[in-house]
């Protein structure tokens, strides 16, 4: 592999969603620090409709914590939950400082939506695209401050460490189609979740297994990888909206689900109907489809007609418009939805200050695991990016107060290291071309959708571990070669396979159904 350029900075942030931007915002107040922020798209953050904040008159930090732990089936890291909930209200100061005003009623109270799993309405928003509004303001502020270089076309592939900890990253410039090394005193991983490794998900194409894999190969630990939250209601038709989630807060506004026979099947499972946690909703929809009571395009019917046009227009105009653009009227006709992977609740294990087991490596946002436990309440992931992005930024500032820049390594040193990333044993090697990589990716996707979907069983997961492990081994033992683009595709697939393999192994190890990890062959004990 040829590395064309060597770059030095103080802090490298990988990921330009809210978590990465918040970390940069927090660090950039120190004008003496140079930050590089890499991304390859905007991730999930622009789609955040709203954030959890305990501002309802019947809500409190304690109630918020209790809901979060209960929904996570007490598999959450309690210290992280305490931070999420206690520091949540600081977000109000942030929004005020950035000039973002949340929607309010005429009497001055916040317009709050109630997410599934919350005891009270808790989601604040600024229109239907609150995440995008926040990102724009954060980017503007970073440009104004001037010490963050934002590169929206660079994909990090591996982290380099030395005996003292993190050293930097191998990065691919998707515009110039060439590699660079970036040396930094600290790295923050903010690469988002990894549901994009599934063939059909709500995630954008820049979301994959790179973050998990980079952390893993650098020596960080991962946790809760089996907890993949399926968004219960994702459009399966028409093509223009396929993969887009329908907001489940509508179930508190008279929206209901129906099988193809027109019956509200959720009432057969719970008197609360559709107003249950997302994991239960996803499971029941999945089973209804498996039973054969499915709509023409393989989903169930999401019927928002009783929400009424006026209310839809007032609270959910973006959803009305989305279907209007397809020639459909959400207030008059039901739409077809099915569950799809949405957020990964597991990921890199962090301490309360977002540090990892690797000195100088920090992580925040959806790439981390532990905050949501076995199931996540809507609105909590968005809040997590704000709270923990800031915490990561502050922790890095403290960490750097004792660190000087090191003499940069030569390009030859980086190239030798990069060439040793694969071909780690003496096993026979294969020549791999683009077509082989495409077939391997399809095989990975097939294992994920067949054996690591809403309902799992031991036999299927054992098969997935075997198939994913075999492919992983093949790639790990194939030299990267001189074809720049092919090597890039190989490393990306290897990273995605690493995340898939860790997910499959974790899922197999957890023998009992808990939260969104549902086993058809659940055992009594999951110790
Ligand atoms: C459609 C949708 C709607 C959602 N709605 C809500 C909601 O209303 N409320 C809520 O609380 N949560 C919601 N969520 C979840 C929430 O959006 C995410 O958990 C959160 O935004 C993750 O933020 P993040 O900054 O950690 O990662 P992301 O916003 O996903 O950003 C990840 C960034 O990392 C970059 N990246 C990834 N890999 C690399 C690499 N190798 N090199 C360089 N850059 C890389 C990506 O390009 C991107 O810039 C939603 C999720 C989706 C998919």
């Amino acid at each position: 592999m040829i590395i064309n350029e060597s770059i030095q900075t103080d802090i490298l942030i990988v990921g330009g969603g809210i978590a990465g931007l918040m970390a940069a915002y927090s660090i950039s107040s120190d004008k003496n620090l140079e930050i590089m922020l890499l991304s390859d798209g905007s991730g999930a953050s622009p789609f955040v409709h709203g954030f959890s904040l305990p501002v309802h008159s019947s809500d409190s930090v304690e109630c918020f914590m209790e809901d979060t732990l209960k929904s996570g089936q007490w598999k959450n890291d309690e210290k992280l939950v305490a931070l999420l909930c206690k520091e949540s209200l600081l977000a109000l100061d942030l929004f005020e400082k950035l000039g973002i005003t949340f929607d309010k009623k005429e009497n001055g109270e916040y317009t709050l939506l109630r997410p599934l799993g919350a005891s009270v309405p808790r989601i604040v928003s600024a229109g239907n695209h609150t995440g995008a509004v926040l990102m724009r303001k954060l980017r503007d502020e970073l440009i104004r401050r001037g010490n963050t270089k934002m590169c929206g076309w660079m994909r990090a592939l591996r982290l380099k460490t030395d005996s003292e900890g993190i050293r930097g990253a191998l990065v691919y410039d998707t515009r110039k189609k060439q590699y660079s090394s970036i040396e930094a005193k600290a790295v923050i991983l903010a690469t988002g979740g990894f549901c994009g490794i599934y063939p059909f998900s709500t995630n954008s194409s820049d979301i994959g297994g790179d973050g998990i894999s980079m952390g893993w190969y650098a020596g960080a630990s991962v946790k809760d990888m089996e907890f993949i939250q399926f968004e219960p209601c994702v459009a399966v038709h028409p093509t223009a909206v396929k993969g887009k989630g329908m907001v489940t807060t509508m179930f508190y506004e008279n929206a209901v689900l129906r099988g193809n026979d027109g019956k509200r099947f959720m009432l057969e499972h719970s008197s609360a109907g559709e107003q249950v946690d997302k994991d239960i909703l996803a499971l029941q929809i999945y089973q209804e489809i498996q039973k054969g009571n499915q709509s023409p395009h393989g989903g169930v019917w999401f019927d928002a007609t009783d929400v009424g046009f006026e209310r839809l227009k007032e609270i959910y105009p973006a959803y009305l418009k989305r279907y209007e653009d397809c020639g459909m009227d959400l207030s008059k006709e039901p739409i077809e939805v099915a569950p799809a992977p949405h957020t990964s609740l597991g990921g890199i294990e962090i301490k309360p200050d977002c540090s990892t087991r690797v000195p100088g490596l920090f992580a925040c946002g959806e790439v981390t695991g532990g905050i949501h436990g076995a199931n996540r309440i809507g609105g909590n992931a968005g809040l997590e990016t704000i709270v923990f992005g800031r915490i990561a930024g502050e922790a890095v500032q403290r960490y750097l107060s004792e660190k000087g820049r090191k003499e940069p390594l030569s390009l030859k040193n980086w190239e030798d290291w990069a060439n040793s990333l694969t071909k780690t044993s003496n096993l026979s090697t294969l020549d791999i071309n683009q077509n082989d990589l495409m077939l391997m990716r399809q095989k990975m996707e097939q294992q994920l959708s067949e054996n690591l979907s809403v309902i799992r069983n031991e036999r299927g997961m054992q098969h997935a571990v075997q198939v994913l492990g075999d492919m992983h081994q093949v790639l790990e033992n194939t030299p990267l070669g001189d074809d720049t683009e092919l090597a890039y595709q190989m490393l990306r697939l290897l990273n995605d396979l690493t995340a898939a393999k860790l997910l499959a192994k974790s899922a197999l190890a957890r023998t009992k159904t808990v939260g969104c990890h549902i086993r058809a062959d659940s055992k009594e004990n999951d110790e």
Side-chain angles (χ1 to χ4, degrees):
M1 175 185 290
I2 295 168
I3 298 181
N4 296 73
E5 197 183 6
S6 156
I7 300 166
Q8 278 81 46
T9 187
D10 291 314
I11 301 116
L12 172 64
I13 301 176
V14 188
I18 299 173
L21 288 169
M22 270 305 295
Y25 176 75
S26 160
I27 300 168
S28 59
S29 57
D30 183 342
K31 292 273 163 54
N32 297 316
L33 291 174
E34 254 179 45
I35 305 160
M36 259 190 101
L37 188 144
L38 311 185
S39 61
D40 185 23
S42 303
S45 295
F47 304 105
V48 170
H49 180 112
F51 301 91
S52 299
L53 283 186
V55 289
H56 187 273
S57 53
S58 315
D59 206 357
S60 63
V61 167
E62 290 71 31
C63 176
F64 185 16
M65 275 174 69
E66 205 175 305
D67 282 349
T68 302
L69 290 166
K70 185 166 167 241
S71 205
Q73 308 261 324
W74 294 274
K75 296 288 175 198
N76 327 51
D77 178 325
E78 287 191 28
K79 283 190 188 147
L80 298 182
V81 173
L83 275 171
L84 177 80
C85 300
K86 285 184 185 155
E87 308 232 337
S88 60
L89 291 169
L90 291 178
L92 285 178
D93 298 339
L94 169 80
F95 281 95
E96 201 181 308
K97 236 189 238 166
L98 293 173
I100 303 171
T101 38
F102 289 125
D103 299 340
K104 287 193 174 163
K105 297 191 246 179
E106 270 173 16
N107 65 5
E109 287 173 8
Y110 290 109
T111 309
L112 295 172
L113 294 173
R114 184 173 167 192
L116 297 175
S119 316
V120 290
R122 190 174 286 141
I123 295 188
V124 292
S125 44
N128 286 180
H129 303 287
T130 319
V133 172
L134 174 59
M135 288 173 78
R136 207 167 39 241
K137 295 277 185 182
L138 285 171
R139 282 200 206 106
D140 287 351
E141 187 55 23
L142 291 177
I143 291 167
R144 196 188 64 77
R145 289 181 183 176
N147 51 340
T148 303
K149 189 170 176 199
M150 289 181 267
C151 307
W153 55 91
M154 282 203 173
R155 194 134 191 129
L157 296 164
R158 277 302 163 85
L159 299 178
K160 186 165 165 51
T161 52
D162 63 18
S163 58
E164 291 166 48
I166 212 76
R167 190 72 210 227
L170 172 70
V171 165
Y172 187 67
D173 183 323
T174 58
R175 281 189 187 163
K176 292 186 189 156
K177 301 214 175 301
Q178 65 183 37
Y179 293 95
S180 304
S181 62
I182 301 183
E183 293 201 29
K185 294 188 272 183
V187 172
I188 301 178
L189 285 177
T191 48
F194 58 90
C195 285
I197 64 175
Y198 279 84
F200 173 60
S201 79
T202 59
N203 288 196
S204 49
S205 58
D206 53 324
I207 294 303
D210 286 343
I212 296 292
S213 184
M214 282 191 277
W216 178 255
Y217 278 105
S221 46
V222 296
K223 66 181 294 183
D224 295 349
M225 290 290 289
E226 66 278 23
F227 296 136
I228 295 290
Q229 185 170 55
F230 282 72
E231 181 64 27
C233 302
V234 178
V236 290
H237 183 75
T239 312
V241 293
K242 209 172 162 187
K244 296 218 185 307
M246 273 307 287
V247 68
T248 42
T249 52
M250 267 194 219
F251 292 131
Y252 290 106
E253 311 262 351
N254 294 334
V256 296
L257 290 171
R258 298 182 199 282
N260 209 39
D261 57 8
K263 289 197 185 129
R264 279 182 65 191
F265 57 91
M266 284 307 297
L267 288 175
E268 291 164 23
H269 306 286
S270 160
S271 56
E274 294 78 4
Q275 296 171 8
V276 290
D277 279 359
K278 281 190 177 187
D279 51 348
I280 299 170
L281 205 52
L283 171 65
Q284 300 306 342
I285 296 172
Y286 184 80
Q287 286 188 324
E288 202 62 20
I289 295 167
Q290 297 284 305
K291 262 198 251 166
N293 191 17
Q294 85 263 37
S295 61
H297 298 89
V300 295
W301 295 103
F302 185 112
D303 185 349
T305 52
D306 279 351
V307 181
F309 180 76
E310 286 309 320
R311 186 71 178 156
L312 285 170
K313 203 171 142 204
E314 182 193 354
I315 309 279
Y316 305 108
Y319 293 86
L320 262 184
K321 169 94 173 50
R322 185 187 292 171
Y323 281 90
E324 219 172 81
D325 291 347
C326 305
M328 294 171 76
D329 184 346
L330 208 53
S331 70
K332 294 211 171 89
E333 57 193 310
I335 52 149
E336 293 179 65
V337 297
H342 182 57
T343 36
S344 39
L345 308 185
I348 293 173
E349 189 171 39
I350 50 166
K351 298 184 192 121
D353 66 351
C354 292
S355 61
T356 67
R357 290 210 305 211
V358 185
L361 178 62
F362 298 77
C364 56
E366 201 182 323
V367 74
T368 66
I371 295 170
H372 308 289
N375 188 37
R376 173 181 75 86
I377 301 184
N380 279 15
L383 178 65
E384 170 193 356
T385 60
I386 298 175
V387 170
F388 288 92
R390 187 180 56 74
I391 290 176
E394 287 173 1
V396 163
Q397 278 183 319
R398 286 195 299 275
Y399 176 80
L400 286 195
S401 61
E402 297 149 24
K403 297 267 163 205
R405 269 196 204 182
K406 289 184 177 174
E407 192 59 31
L409 298 169
S410 66
L411 278 180
K412 166 87 173 56
N413 182 306
W414 274 91
E415 284 174 354
D416 289 347
W417 167 77
N419 283 323
S420 70
L421 289 176
T422 60
K423 189 75 188 76
T424 51
S425 83
N426 291 326
L427 287 179
S428 62
T429 58
L430 287 176
D431 267 344
I432 292 230
N433 59 34
Q434 292 281 3
N435 196 45
D436 298 323
L437 292 180
M438 192 188 73
L439 292 175
M440 285 169 96
R441 184 169 286 285
Q442 281 172 1
K443 213 162 147 184
M444 174 186 81
E445 291 176 349
Q446 187 188 9
Q447 287 308 314
L448 289 168
S449 45
E450 283 179 8
N451 293 320
L452 292 150
S453 186
V454 177
I455 305 181
R456 301 150 179 196
N457 65 60
E458 185 170 6
R459 216 165 134 237
M461 288 187 288
Q462 265 169 352
H463 185 60
V465 167
Q466 182 69 47
V467 174
L468 296 169
D470 287 350
M471 285 196 289
H472 193 266
Q473 200 179 31
V474 167
L475 279 189
E476 267 204 327
N477 288 290
T478 304
L480 286 173
D482 297 329
D483 183 333
T484 309
E485 179 67 17
L486 187 66
Y488 169 61
Q489 296 301 342
M490 258 181 73
L491 282 172
R492 288 217 41 194
L493 180 58
L494 185 55
N495 285 346
D496 289 351
L497 273 167
T498 304
K501 195 175 95 167
L502 290 167
L503 155 62
K505 284 197 161 193
S506 305
L508 183 62
R510 194 180 287 284
T511 54
K512 187 179 174 184
T513 290
V514 51
C516 59
H517 172 64
I518 299 167
R519 290 191 60 148
D521 52 356
S522 179
K523 308 270 191 308
E524 262 314 292
N525 198 327
D526 77 332
E527 290 308 309

